[in-house]
């Protein structure tokens, strides 16, 4: 069983970067950016942090192609798991009755 | 040799560890097989009760009516909520506790390691655990009949808000989470075994079609089940902790406003459920296609027609099965523009199924067909699965689905695919691999009696459903005579019900033949069918560790009638 | 008032797009029979021609892989035509586009556990506000009395009266669980989802009484949940509408 | 050791990846699908909701931030434990694995405090759709943390007996892969629920 030779300094370096990024993402949230911008920044930081953990801590760097194909197939299906229900929900938004209690009075006509 | 010492160690284990909590894939395979057949029988029993109410609504059930509890069937007459519970549990038990464990757990566990020349599964203990988690899930599912509120009553699809407010669904969800976990662990085991533990020389293009079918099935199970598990967790939160993931605001149940926070969305469940359920139906059919391919190759004494086409179609089927789920939701309130996307993907997915069926039928050309009992089942699979596939066309098309959705046409369609398709192939598999499991042959005469009895009665049950569907008879109706447009086709309900009871009679020779031949059947030599695949290269029943020396593979799986060969079958592991 | 005669096979086509849907059903079933019969004959021929006979070995080599794909391509071509020439255009005509409100009868249909409540705007043409808290045996839709436009609204249960000659535009919703509005004669079916108001339209072509059924399991009364659509001549419909009592004070004081 | 371990040892994996590693990555693939479904549900419910509270108005962000630090630290101690297992330094290995388990308990402790504060104000999953998805996702993540703690504790308990077993180092790596995955899920969960 070949194992990755450990590089302690690298792990501690990645650790520092992860801690820093956590602080950054919290500070960014205090600036109350408009919602879409806030989402993009938050997502970018989180993806970068996840990438760090995956490549160094999970040793994905030197990993064989099969592991990447397993992850590739999974993410191919994850995209559809996200995309289609969300697209559907946004397309039927005009049908959803929002009034928390009463039925909305003047039913607009579906287009 | 290490292998020798290793199988001696197995002998002196206490019989509990050898037969009950065994880690040997063959024992686990047989445990899965017999448990799932028992569940199939139980689910079929529920159906026979239900069919009585459809054929003679409101009349007390003869013979068994007395045993039914008063709350569910006063005086033997089924109550509507008990009828709904019978329907929901029939669907759930047959699909999740019967067919999938039989096709994947039973056949996959036993035959796959043998066909790739592996000593056992990659993770034997995990394999045993997935069986026992499945059994616990099955017991929980059955126990839901006896808890207050009774069993689940909102269909095997468990659509909220009905599933959130009607009694009996919580135990169904908990049992489902157990069954899903069992399938998940099983699929990891299958993929790792198929990829990592193949015999020397067994490249992917030399694997039998049965192994390909199990591999694609395992990937579908692995990636499609977790979304349903998450959806089931959300529904448990709705039912137990009063959240409202699937409950919109402003619900009024029998005049009482439901005091939940609201804000949920019923379509959310449908999306997540069908995201699983469509790959699930391919999980039901792929093992059956694998078995039919094995039996046809063996009994036509020639290689399969278009091995590469079938494998490519299976892989394409696997990928596409994740993109078609919402053709179940054309009329569910989903946006009608999005239906066009799913219409096109549903068209695309019909192509590989047609290709597989074409290749299997063309395998008969230039063959020397032996009409053995397994071959009868495999041959019957082809036209009947064809009917199932064809009747999917009007349902997959958006416009005609407007009329045919949620009618008996749908029930006819999926029963033709699952029952006269998958179940017939799995029964054929019993006759084909019985000598491998027990070293004895099943009786041929009673096999043919069982075959003709089953095929005729199955068609008798399901064909009238198409006529009822065209007449617009809705599905899941407790009393079909309550609505005018269902009355003319009511005699067809009687026809289907009578054939359903006859189908049960047709199974008695099968059950008798199976258990009788297990001990007193005609002794059979190691390779009775003269097959070329690896599972016949070891003694039957194979010892622990399967092969004396790990086999080497020299050629493709179906090298029959090789010109110039001494016999008309050249096994994969023989050098020459 | 012609009574709809149900029998085996498709019921009478009583709405404008019913013929379109029937055409699709008949076309596909014709194609299905053709495909099944052709393959069936070929299948039986193969079974007889290549049965095991002593001294006749099976052929090992196989050729004509491409030829085997011809039937698949034929089926694929048929399906592509079916989709782009028939399915997508008819689906957009039936489900995507809805007729304008001004020249059609607008009505709100609300499904509840085991009945269909039909809500007409009444002479003022405006629907009254509904409040789930006000739902009561005598006020099934929970119409709000202090909303002026609700006072003249008409509510009928399990009886839907519509005029001939004008499309009917329905806002379909549900009070509790998912039901499905299904009129076999009009070939329409649409799930009524609580929390959503789904526009559905159809235009009757025959007068008469046609049955409404529920096509989605909605509890123990699913089979008994039925109603009737009465299609009147325009004049007759006006008379019916005039002598309906408003829902909020049925005695008409 | 049971007989099956020897059978596994007899054969070189065809794909070159040890059975355990391929198995754990497949399991993580199914976990990706599970948590993706919860994120899809979160996005759908948020898009469909007429109004949705901003994370920091209703939730305790500083507490959650410390929780993120705790989980990241436990990820590091886990990878250090694996490194010590590879270099066969048993004492250091026990220290780091023990630290990982302890940090896991700290994470659960902080989560319990956070949940406690909510229940005190009579805020429960049924209060609103936001709290429903908040409790469900963090609850399910918490269960996975508990699962990880159990796995690590079993390995720590077995470590002195199995230290020289050929597969032991691999098992530490696989437990580590699972633990890092649980950390990654929290890395996405924290901003999604608390900061947006």
């Amino acid at each position: 069983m070949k194992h990755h030779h450990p590089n302690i300094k690298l792990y501690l370096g990645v650790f520092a970067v992860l801690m820093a990024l956590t602080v950054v993402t919290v500070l960014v949230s205090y600036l109350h950016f408009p919602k879409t911008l806030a989402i993009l920044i938050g997502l970018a930081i989180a993806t970068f942090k996840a990438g760090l953990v995956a490549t160094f801590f999970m040793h994905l760097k030197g990993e064989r192609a099969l592991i990447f194909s397993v992850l590739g197939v999974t993410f191919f299906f994850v995209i559809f798991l996200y995309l289609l229900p969300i697209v559907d929900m946004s397309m039927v938004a005009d049908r959803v009755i929002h009034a928390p209690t009463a039925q909305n009075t003047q039913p607009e006509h579906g287009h | 040799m290490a292998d020798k010492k290793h199988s001696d160690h197995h002998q002196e284990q206490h019989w509990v560890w050898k037969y009950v909590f065994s880690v040997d894939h063959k024992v686990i395979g047989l445990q899965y097989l017999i448990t799932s057949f028992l569940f199939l029988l139980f689910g079929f029993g529920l159906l026979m009760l239900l069919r009585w109410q459809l054929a003679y609504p409101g009349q007390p059930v003869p013979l068994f009516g007395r045993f039914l509890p008063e709350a569910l069937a006063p005086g033997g007459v089924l109550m509507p909520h008990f009828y709904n519970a019978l329907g929901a549990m029939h669907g759930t038990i047959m699909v999740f506790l019967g067919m999938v464990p039989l096709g994947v757990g039973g056949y996959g566990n036993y035959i796959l390691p043998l066909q790739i020349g592996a000593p056992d599964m990659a993770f034997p203990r995990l394999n045993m655990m997935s069986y026992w988690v499945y059994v616990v899930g099955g017991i929980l599912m059955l126990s839901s009949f006896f808890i207050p509120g009774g069993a689940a009553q909102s269909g095997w699809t468990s659509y909220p808000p009905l599933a959130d407010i009607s009694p009996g669904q919580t135990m169904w969800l908990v049992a489902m989470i157990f069954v899903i976990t069992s399938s998940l662990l099983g699929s990891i085991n299958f993929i790792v075994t198929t990829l990592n533990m193949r015999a020397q020389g067994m490249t992917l293009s030399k694997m039998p079609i049965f192994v390909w079918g199990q591999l694609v099935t395992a990937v579908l199970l692995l990636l499609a089940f977790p979304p349903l598990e998450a959806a089931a967790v959300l529904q448990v939160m709705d039912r137990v902790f009063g959240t409202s993931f699937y409950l919109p605001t402003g619900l009024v149940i029998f005049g009482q406003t439901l005091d939940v926070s609201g804000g949920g969305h019923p379509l959310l469940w449908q999306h997540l459920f069908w995201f699983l359920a469509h790959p699930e139906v391919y999980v039901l059919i792929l093992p059956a296609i694998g078995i039919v391919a094995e039996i046809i190759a063996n009994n036509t004494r020639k290689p399969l027609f278009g091995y590469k086409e079938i494998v490519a179609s299976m892989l394409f089927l696997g990928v596409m099965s994740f993109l078609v789920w919402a053709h179940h939701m054309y009329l569910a309130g989903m946006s009608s523009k999005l239906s066009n996307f799913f219409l096109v993907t549903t068209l695309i997915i019909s192509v590989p199924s047609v290709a597989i069926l074409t290749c299997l039928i063309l395998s008969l050309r230039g063959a020397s067909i032996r009409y053995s009992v397994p071959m009868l089942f495999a041959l019957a699979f082809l036209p009947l699965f064809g009917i199932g596939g064809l009747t999917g066309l009007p349902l997959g098309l958006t416009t005609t689905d407007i009329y045919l959705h949620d009618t008996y046409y749908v029930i006819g369609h999926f029963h033709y695919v699952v029952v006269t398709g998958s179940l017939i192939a799995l029964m054929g598999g019993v006759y084909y691999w019985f000598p491998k499991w027990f070293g004895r042959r099943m009786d041929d005469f009673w096999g043919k009696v069982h075959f003709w009895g089953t095929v005729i009665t199955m068609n008798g049950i399901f064909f009238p459903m198409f006529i009822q569907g065209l007449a617009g008879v809705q599905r899941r109706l407790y009393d079909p005579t309550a609505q005018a447009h269902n009355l003319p086709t009511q005699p067809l309900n009687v026809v289907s019900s009578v054939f359903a009871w006859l189908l049960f009679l047709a199974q008695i020779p099968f059950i008798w033949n199976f258990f009788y031949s297990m001990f007193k059947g005609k002794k059979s030599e190691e390779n009775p069918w003269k097959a070329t695949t690896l599972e016949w290269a070891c003694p039957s029943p194979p010892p622990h560790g399967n092969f004396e020396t790990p086999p080497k593979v020299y050629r493709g799986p179906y090298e029959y009638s090789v010109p110039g060969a001494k016999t008309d079958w050249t096994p994969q592991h023989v050098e020459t | 008032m012609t009574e709809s005669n149900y029998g085996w096979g498709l019921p009478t086509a009583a709405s404008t797009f019913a013929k379109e849907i029937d055409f699709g059903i008949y076309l596909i079933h014709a194609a299905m029979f053709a495909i099944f019969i052709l393959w069936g004959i070929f299948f039986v021929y193969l079974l007889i021609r290549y049965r095991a006979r002593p001294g006749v070995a099976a052929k090992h080599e196989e050729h004509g892989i491409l030829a085997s794909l011809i039937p698949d391509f034929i089926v694929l071509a048929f399906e592509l035509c079916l989709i782009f020439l028939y399915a997508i255009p008819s689906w957009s005509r039936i489900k995507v586009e809805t007729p304008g409100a001004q020249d059609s009868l607008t009505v709100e249909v609300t499904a509840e556990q085991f009945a269909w409540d039909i809500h007409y705007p009444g002479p003022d043409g405006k629907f009254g506000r509904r409040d789930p808290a006000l739902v009561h045996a005598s006020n099934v839709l929970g119409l709000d009395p202090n909303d002026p436009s609700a006072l003249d609204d008409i509510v009928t249960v399990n009886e839907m009266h519509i005029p001939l000659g004008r499309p009917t535009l329905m806002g379909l919703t549900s009070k509790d669980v998912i039901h499905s509005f299904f009129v076999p004669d009009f070939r329409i079916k649409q799930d009524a989802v609580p929390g959503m108001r789904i526009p559905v339209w159809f235009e009757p072509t025959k007068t008469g009484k046609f049955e409404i059924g529920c096509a989605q399991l909605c509890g123990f009364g699913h089979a008994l949940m039925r109603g009737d659509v009465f299609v009147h001549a325009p004049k007759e419909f006006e008379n019916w509408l005039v002598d309906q009592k408003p829902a909020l004070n049925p005695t008409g004081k | 050791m049971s007989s099956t371990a020897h059978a596994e040892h007899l054969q070189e994996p065809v794909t070159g990846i040890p059975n355990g590693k391929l198995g754990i990555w497949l399991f993580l693939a199914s976990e990706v699908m599970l948590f993706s479904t919860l994120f899809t549900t979160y996005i759908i419910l948020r898009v469909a909701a007429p109004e949705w509270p901003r994370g920091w108005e209703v939730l305790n962000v500083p507490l959650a931030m410390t929780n993120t630090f705790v989980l990241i630290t436990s990820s590091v101690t886990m990878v250090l434990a694996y490194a010590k297992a590879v270099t066969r330094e048993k004492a250091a290995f026990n220290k780091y694995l023990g630290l990982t388990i302890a940090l896991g308990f700290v994470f659960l402790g902080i989560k319990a405090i956070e949940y406690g504060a909510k229940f005190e104000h009579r805020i429960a999953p049924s209060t609103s759709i936001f709290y429903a998805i908040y409790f469900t996702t963090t609850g399910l993540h918490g269960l996975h943390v508990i699962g990880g703690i159990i796995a690590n504790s079993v390995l720590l308990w077995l470590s002195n007996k199995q230290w020289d077993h050929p597969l032991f180092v691999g098992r530490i790596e696989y437990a580590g892969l699972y633990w890092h995955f649980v950390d990654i899920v929290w890395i996405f969960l924290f901003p999604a629920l608390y900061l947006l």
Side-chain angles (χ1 to χ4, degrees):
Chain A
M1 294 299 176
K2 148 181 109 34
H3 279 286
H4 310 274
H5 49 76
N7 176 342
I8 308 293
K9 256 197 324 14
L10 175 71
Y11 297 147
L12 295 179
V14 168
F15 171 52
V17 171
L18 286 173
M19 296 299 245
L21 282 175
T22 310
V23 172
V24 163
T25 197
V26 172
L27 292 181
V28 160
S29 78
Y30 280 124
L31 303 177
H32 300 320
F33 280 108
K35 192 182 276 192
T36 44
L37 190 59
I39 290 174
L40 282 178
I41 296 172
L43 201 59
I45 296 174
T47 317
F48 184 68
K49 282 164 69 177
L52 279 180
V53 170
T55 36
F56 297 108
F57 290 176
M58 299 169 96
H59 308 294
L60 266 183
K61 200 145 65 66
E63 202 47 83
R64 282 180 179 266
L66 183 63
I67 300 291
F68 290 111
S69 53
V70 165
L71 293 174
V73 166
T74 313
F75 281 106
F76 172 72
F77 292 133
V78 160
I79 295 165
F80 286 98
L81 181 62
Y82 275 99
L83 208 65
L84 291 170
I86 291 166
V87 162
D88 175 40
M89 289 306 163
S90 49
M91 285 169 94
V92 289
D94 60 344
R95 293 179 174 179
V96 173
I97 303 160
H98 279 308
T101 51
Q103 183 93 21
N104 49 12
T105 49
Q106 212 46 14
E108 76 290 7
H109 304 300
H111 41 69
Chain B
M1 240 294 284
D3 209 25
K4 199 77 205 74
K5 173 186 67 53
H6 157 84
S7 58
D8 295 347
H9 157 77
H10 187 72
Q11 255 51 44
E12 73 281 45
Q13 274 177 327
H14 184 269
W15 71 270
V16 167
W17 299 106
K18 196 162 178 229
Y19 292 111
V20 178
F21 293 102
S22 151
V23 285
D24 182 337
H25 73 101
K26 297 181 285 302
V27 174
I28 295 170
L30 288 180
Q31 286 173 330
Y32 259 114
L33 191 101
I34 291 173
T35 319
S36 48
F37 263 120
L38 289 176
F39 274 124
L40 282 176
L41 217 56
F42 180 77
F44 187 62
L46 301 183
L47 174 87
M48 288 198 285
L49 262 179
L50 184 137
R51 282 262 30 132
W52 172 266
Q53 168 61 21
L54 281 175
Y56 308 102
Q59 291 169 19
V61 177
L63 300 177
F64 304 101
R66 287 192 305 285
F67 307 119
L68 297 172
E70 274 311 298
L72 299 175
V77 179
L78 301 184
M79 291 296 289
H81 59 275
F82 182 53
Y83 171 87
N84 286 346
L86 286 176
M89 294 308 279
H90 168 71
T92 310
I93 289 175
M94 296 305 251
V95 170
F96 290 108
L97 299 177
M99 292 298 290
V100 171
L102 180 60
V104 178
Y107 287 100
N109 258 319
Y110 200 108
I111 302 299
L112 184 105
L114 294 176
Q115 282 200 335
I116 55 172
D120 202 318
M121 278 292 192
F123 312 108
R125 286 190 297 271
L126 187 70
N127 202 14
M128 178 187 78
M129 200 179 92
S130 66
Y131 170 71
W132 288 102
V133 168
Y134 154 67
V135 167
V136 166
I139 290 165
L140 282 178
M141 192 66 88
L142 294 188
S143 68
S144 65
F145 275 102
F146 307 108
I147 54 173
Q153 295 163 17
S154 40
W156 79 285
T157 48
S158 163
Y159 275 8
L162 179 66
D164 281 4
I165 52 176
S166 75
Q169 208 68 22
T170 311
M171 183 56 88
W172 183 86
L173 290 164
V174 169
M176 278 304 291
I177 289 175
F178 274 88
V179 169
I180 289 169
T181 315
S182 147
S183 289
L184 223 52
L185 302 179
S187 65
I188 294 170
N189 222 333
F190 275 61
I191 297 173
V192 172
T193 309
T194 312
L195 293 182
N196 259 357
M197 299 176 74
R198 282 169 281 142
Q200 201 188 353
M202 165 93 62
T203 61
L204 288 180
S205 64
K206 291 199 176 75
M207 284 200 316
I209 296 284
F210 177 81
V211 176
W212 273 109
Q214 293 290 340
L215 180 64
V216 175
T217 308
V219 171
L220 292 186
L221 283 175
L222 182 79
L223 298 180
F225 256 135
L228 177 66
E229 191 155 26
V233 163
L234 296 182
Q235 200 166 71
V236 166
M237 292 292 289
D238 268 11
R239 290 183 60 85
V240 174
F241 296 100
T243 59
S244 47
F245 287 111
Y246 304 123
L247 302 174
T249 46
L251 284 187
V252 175
I253 315 286
F254 293 119
Q256 308 301 329
T257 50
L258 205 60
D259 57 357
V260 282
S261 59
H265 213 293
L267 288 188
L268 179 59
W269 164 271
Q270 290 185 28
H271 273 297
L272 297 181
F273 177 81
W274 288 114
F275 185 87
L276 158 87
H278 202 79
E280 174 78 21
V281 301
Y282 285 100
V283 160
L284 287 173
I285 200 64
L286 281 171
I289 289 174
I291 293 173
V292 164
E294 296 296 318
I295 296 174
I296 284 183
N298 172 264
N299 286 289
T300 52
R301 311 310 297 164
K302 65 182 277 295
L304 274 180
F305 179 92
Y307 172 91
K308 287 194 190 57
E309 279 70 30
I310 294 179
V311 169
S313 300
M314 276 185 172
L315 293 171
F316 189 63
L317 214 56
V319 170
M320 284 306 293
S321 68
F322 280 89
L323 316 177
V324 289
W325 77 80
H327 58 224
H328 299 273
M329 295 165 61
Y330 287 150
L331 301 173
M334 183 177 78
S335 110
S336 22
K337 295 189 195 64
L338 199 57
S339 302
N340 288 329
F341 168 80
F342 286 104
L343 168 66
V344 174
T345 50
T346 305
L347 152 80
I348 294 169
I349 207 169
S350 74
V351 171
S353 323
V354 171
I356 289 177
L357 210 55
T358 314
C359 287
L360 288 176
I361 291 179
L362 288 177
S363 300
L364 303 175
R365 204 170 46 155
S368 150
I369 304 170
R370 277 188 327 204
Y371 290 100
S372 60
V373 175
M375 188 53 167
L376 287 179
F377 280 96
L379 289 174
F381 169 88
L382 299 177
L384 297 177
F385 175 66
I387 295 177
L390 283 173
T391 50
L393 211 55
L395 294 172
L397 213 66
T398 45
T399 313
T400 45
D401 190 49
I402 294 174
Y403 181 69
L404 294 173
H405 180 63
D406 268 339
T407 64
Y408 262 79
Y409 199 92
V410 175
I411 297 190
H413 160 64
F414 69 70
H415 276 95
Y416 256 97
V417 173
V418 172
V419 177
T420 57
S422 207
L423 186 57
I424 285 234
L426 294 171
M427 285 178 180
V430 169
Y431 288 95
Y432 182 61
W433 279 307
F434 192 89
K436 171 52 61 183
W437 296 336
F438 303 109
R440 294 172 181 278
R441 289 287 295 272
M442 285 179 83
D443 181 273
D444 270 352
F445 169 73
W446 287 111
K448 288 189 169 69
V449 166
H450 169 237
F451 168 72
W452 290 109
T454 303
V455 166
I456 292 167
T457 46
M458 277 182 180
N459 280 292
I461 303 171
F462 303 127
F463 202 82
M465 290 184 179
F466 293 133
I467 302 165
Q468 284 183 306
L470 286 172
V473 178
Q474 305 101 305
R475 61 188 291 195
R476 294 171 169 161
L477 287 181
Y478 163 69
D479 176 5
T481 56
Q483 299 191 11
H485 74 279
N486 299 340
L487 282 176
T489 51
Q490 176 56 17
L492 290 178
N493 268 333
V494 179
V495 168
S496 290
S497 299
V498 167
F499 274 114
W501 302 322
L502 291 177
L503 177 63
F504 176 73
L505 295 184
Q507 298 318 308
I508 294 171
F510 178 56
I511 299 164
W512 162 258
N513 196 353
F514 184 84
F515 287 107
Y516 176 81
S517 318
M518 201 186 286
F519 304 103
K520 293 207 178 52
K522 193 154 49 60
K523 273 267 187 224
S524 90
E525 75 270 21
E526 267 185 16
N527 192 350
W529 308 109
K530 311 261 177 303
T532 56
T533 40
L534 273 187
E535 81 264 28
W536 303 101
C538 55
S540 346
H544 188 69
N546 297 345
F547 298 93
E548 279 316 311
T549 60
K552 289 193 182 54
V553 171
Y554 299 95
R555 61 187 64 77
Y558 308 120
E559 287 308 310
Y560 289 99
S561 321
V562 175
K566 285 185 297 302
T567 58
D568 78 343
W569 49 284
T570 359
Q572 285 190 284
H573 65 289
V574 169
E575 189 131 5
T576 60
Chain C
M1 194 62 101
T2 57
E3 194 65 41
S4 174
N5 49 5
Y6 296 113
W8 285 25
L10 298 172
T12 55
S15 78
T16 47
F17 50 68
K19 288 261 178 302
E20 223 170 323
I21 294 179
D22 291 356
F23 166 74
I25 292 178
Y26 287 130
L27 178 70
I28 293 176
H29 278 82
M32 278 157 56
F33 279 122
I35 293 172
F36 184 73
I37 302 294
L38 288 176
W39 270 112
I41 294 166
F42 181 57
F43 181 62
V44 169
Y45 158 73
L46 289 177
L47 291 183
I48 297 164
R49 169 74 176 71
Y50 294 105
R51 66 188 183 288
R53 286 186 302 276
V56 180
K59 285 205 291 296
H60 177 267
E61 286 324 313
E62 204 42 71
H63 46 74
I65 298 284
L66 283 177
S68 82
L69 295 182
I70 291 173
D72 302 349
F73 285 129
I74 294 172
V75 168
L76 179 63
F78 168 70
E79 278 178 4
L80 282 174
C81 300
L82 211 57
I83 282 191
F84 292 106
L85 300 180
Y86 169 70
I88 292 183
S90 59
W91 175 259
S92 61
R93 270 196 300 276
I94 296 170
K95 283 287 181 186
V96 181
E97 294 131 18
T98 47
Q102 62 288 357
D103 57 15
S104 59
L105 171 83
T106 310
V107 75
E108 291 289 308
V109 175
T110 305
E112 64 172 302
Q113 274 190 314
F114 317 126
W116 299 96
D117 311 332
I118 320 292
H119 179 191
Y120 293 84
D124 70 354
K126 289 204 293 299
F127 289 96
R129 203 174 74 83
R130 297 186 199 168
D131 182 353
L134 301 173
V135 168
H136 181 264
S138 62
N139 181 359
V140 282
L141 289 176
L143 289 172
D144 184 355
N146 37 37
D147 169 7
S149 61
L151 296 180
D152 67 346
D153 286 7
I154 299 157
V155 174
T156 61
V157 177
N158 288 344
E159 273 185 33
M160 183 171 175
H161 296 263
I162 56 172
L164 195 64
R166 281 197 292 158
T168 304
L169 181 58
M170 292 165 31
L172 188 64
T173 183
S174 159
K175 285 203 287 191
D176 34 44
V177 294
I178 295 176
H179 302 267
S180 185
F181 188 81
F182 173 42
V183 181
D185 300 81
F186 297 157
R187 307 291 188 282
I188 62 158
K189 186 181 287 140
Q190 178 57 53
D191 280 10
V193 181
M196 278 169 85
R197 180 193 171 283
I198 299 165
V200 183
W201 74 278
F202 58 88
E203 184 175 343
T205 53
K206 285 196 179 73
T207 58
K209 181 162 87 100
F210 306 105
E211 188 170 50
I212 307 171
C214 173
Q216 179 67 263
L217 182 64
C218 55
F220 55 84
H222 170 55
L224 312 172
M225 181 172 169
R226 62 172 303 285
D228 291 301
V229 181
F230 296 90
V231 182
H232 304 284
K235 198 68 201 77
E236 215 183 292
F237 173 70
E238 296 308 329
N239 303 344
W240 174 82
L241 202 57
V242 160
D243 57 33
Q244 289 307 310
K245 293 288 173 290
L248 284 183
N249 54 359
T251 52
K253 282 192 294 304
Chain D
M1 222 13 245
S2 81
S3 62
T4 48
H6 300 308
E8 208 173 307
H9 205 65
L10 276 176
Q11 252 192 333
E12 213 37 53
V14 174
T15 57
I17 302 167
N19 289 351
K21 174 174 280 192
L22 188 55
I24 199 74
W25 273 109
L26 289 168
F27 177 66
L28 293 186
S30 76
E31 291 288 283
V32 163
M33 294 298 278
L34 184 76
F35 283 103
S36 305
T37 312
L38 287 177
F39 278 108
T40 287
T41 308
Y42 171 70
I43 294 166
I44 286 175
L45 292 178
R46 181 157 189 169
V47 163
E51 31 77 26
W52 192 270
R54 303 301 290 261
W56 58 81
E57 288 152 3
V58 287
L59 296 175
N60 182 336
V61 173
L63 202 59
M65 193 170 76
T66 42
N67 238 351
T68 313
F69 289 149
V70 163
L71 210 52
I72 288 175
T73 322
S74 73
S75 222
V76 174
T77 51
M78 186 75 213
V79 79
L80 291 177
Y82 169 62
K84 294 302 172 214
V86 169
T87 53
R88 310 309 293 167
E89 297 161 61
K90 190 165 188 179
F93 163 77
N94 286 337
K95 177 167 71 100
Y96 281 120
L97 192 56
L99 211 57
T100 311
I101 295 167
L103 286 167
F105 280 113
V106 167
F107 176 84
L108 291 178
I110 294 176
K111 188 137 288 307
I113 296 166
E114 203 181 326
Y115 277 7
K118 291 282 177 295
F119 293 144
E120 242 167 57
H121 297 86
R122 262 175 306 290
I123 294 174
S126 52
T127 315
S128 83
I129 194 75
F130 170 79
Y131 282 110
I133 194 78
Y134 160 71
F135 277 109
T136 309
T137 35
T138 47
L140 201 61
H141 175 264
L143 284 179
H144 279 79
V145 168
I146 292 170
I149 291 172
I150 293 169
N152 290 345
S153 321
V154 164
L155 282 175
L156 185 61
W157 181 62
L158 289 176
S159 65
N160 41 35
K161 194 149 56 74
Q162 283 194 355
W163 181 251
D164 304 315
H165 183 281
L167 293 175
F168 181 71
V169 179
R171 290 195 178 121
I172 297 297
E173 184 186 3
Y174 311 147
L177 289 178
Y178 172 78
W179 189 255
H180 297 312
F181 172 78
V182 168
D183 180 21
I184 287 178
V185 171
W186 179 259
I187 285 175
F188 279 103
L189 212 56
F190 171 58
L193 285 175
Y194 291 83
L195 305 180
L196 293 178

